[in-house]
Amino acid sequence: MDRDAVFGALADANRRLILDRLMARNGQSLVELCAGMDMSRQAVSKHIAVLEAAELVLSIRQGRTRRHYLNPVPIHAEAMRWLKRFDNARLINLADIEAARTAAS
């Protein structure tokens, strides 16, 4: 898994929207993903290609249709990699600091 590809793919709001739509209903075709989006089919297809390169979307051909599926494993792996840098006590302290900061504002 290429970390830069994952973060690069997640950096774009349109790609995050595609991932959100797949999370809501997995296995959509390109036509289904394009419905209601303010983008051309070609633009959505290019975004899907970036998501596939980052292994965030898997596509399977079913007859003449390609179905797109969310693969959350790379996101989870990166989240766990970052969270491992903090032990539980540090996370609790950071959460307490954030809560105090929020309460003060």
Side-chain angles (χ1 to χ4, degrees):
M1 169 182 36
D2 180 1
R3 292 178 182 151
D4 289 336
V6 171
F7 284 112
L10 293 173
D12 186 274
N14 290 312
R15 290 192 283 270
R16 291 191 308 272
L17 177 60
I18 291 168
L19 293 175
D20 288 341
R21 293 184 70 172
L22 289 174
M23 188 182 322
R25 190 169 62 83
N26 224 356
Q28 294 184 59
S29 68
L30 179 62
V31 171
E32 292 168 325
L33 284 170
C34 289
M37 293 187 77
D38 192 24
M39 266 189 277
S40 69
R41 185 182 295 179
Q42 291 80 11
V44 174
S45 184
K46 286 181 181 182
H47 284 301
I48 290 172
V50 172
L51 293 166
E52 286 175 327
E55 300 177 11
L56 294 169
V57 168
L58 305 172
S59 298
I60 299 172
R61 184 168 292 284
Q62 292 178 336
R64 293 172 44 158
T65 304
R66 285 178 53 131
R67 297 278 172 196
H68 306 286
Y69 297 89
L70 174 65
N71 177 20
V73 173
I75 296 170
H76 181 263
E78 284 304 306
M80 292 299 100
R81 185 179 72 80
W82 278 91
L83 290 176
K84 282 182 185 177
R85 294 181 178 195
F86 302 97
D87 59 19
N88 198 29
R90 281 192 204 163
L91 288 174
I92 290 170
N93 289 337
L94 289 172
D96 289 344
I97 292 168
E98 180 63 22
R101 186 181 69 82
T102 303
S105 38

